[in-house]
Amino acid sequence: PMFRRSGRILRVHQGAGGVVRGERLGPYRLEAELGSGGMGTVYRARAVEPAPPVAVGTTVALKLVHPHLVTRADGLARLRREAELGGRVVHAHVGRTFGADAADFGGHAQPYLVMEYVEGRTLNALLDELHHVPEELCWHIGREVVKGL
């Protein structure tokens, strides 16, 4: 058996939501949109001001969370708590979570999650290239994912 692409594809739209390269969100400058989904849109960003534990100049993955997901009075506090718990997970197979906050963006408080940026190809890119993934590679990827869990 081979692993085949399902009909579900992560679509990347440059400038979605009116965000343009170089815009600032808190201490970060947005550089490029990486993808979007049900929780929000992820950008490659660079810290341009101190944002402990992230040093100035560090590239991060910045997820702009859909504001409606944190509309409850305790929504941002819950997001920060989840980020703190995620930050405790340190494993070679898991991208680090550095924190969560909100900053003024377009006249409203925009919640965001700060994560480790990992350079490399996505599974979608691999599937685009190969059209199917051999069974042994599927098992290998699965084992590596499980190690992180």
Side-chain angles (χ1 to χ4, degrees), residues 57-120:
T58 302
T59 299
V60 297
L62 199 67
K63 180 180 285 187
L64 278 61
V65 178
H66 294 308
H68 73 273
L69 296 176
V70 291
T71 55
R72 291 181 24 189
D74 66 340
L76 184 57
R78 289 183 59 209
L79 182 65
R80 285 180 175 144
R81 220 173 14 257
E82 289 177 25
E84 186 213 333
L85 292 172
R88 293 180 189 175
V89 178
V90 179
H91 191 280
H93 292 77
V94 177
R96 302 272 322 265
T97 301
F98 296 122
D101 206 347
D104 181 64
F105 194 72
H108 71 280
Q110 173 61 61
Y112 62 90
L113 189 62
V114 185
M115 301 167 291
E116 175 183 11
Y117 175 72
V118 179
E119 185 76 39

Side-chain angles (χ1 to χ4, degrees), residues 1-146:
M2 301 283 192
F3 182 75
R4 298 195 183 276
R5 172 182 296 285
S6 70
R8 189 173 181 166
I9 300 171
L10 175 67
R11 302 218 183 265
V12 177
H13 302 285
Q14 293 298 324
V19 176
V20 288
R21 182 177 183 200
E23 282 194 80
R24 291 276 304 266
L25 180 64
Y28 301 98
R29 177 170 289 118
L30 304 178
E31 295 183 338
E33 184 176 325
L34 300 175
S36 62
M39 193 172 167
T41 302
V42 180
Y43 294 87
R44 186 182 71 230
R46 186 171 309 278
V48 293
E49 294 177 15
V54 178
V56 172
T58 302
T59 299
V60 297
L62 199 67
K63 180 180 285 187
L64 278 61
V65 178
H66 294 308
H68 73 273
L69 296 176
V70 291
T71 55
R72 291 181 24 189
D74 66 340
L76 184 57
R78 289 183 59 209
L79 182 65
R80 285 180 175 144
R81 220 173 14 257
E82 289 177 25
E84 186 213 333
L85 292 172
R88 293 180 189 175
V89 178
V90 179
H91 191 280
H93 292 77
V94 177
R96 302 272 322 265
T97 301
F98 296 122
D101 206 347
D104 181 64
F105 194 72
H108 71 280
Q110 173 61 61
Y112 62 90
L113 189 62
V114 185
M115 301 167 291
E116 175 183 11
Y117 175 72
V118 179
E119 185 76 39
R121 288 192 311 174
T122 65
L123 287 175
N124 275 334
L126 179 66
L127 288 170
D128 285 343
E129 181 182 320
L130 300 178
H131 303 289
H132 66 275
V133 181
E135 182 177 357
E136 184 52 42
L137 183 53
C138 289
W139 283 107
H140 172 74
I141 292 170
R143 283 189 299 271
E144 298 302 302
V145 168
V146 169

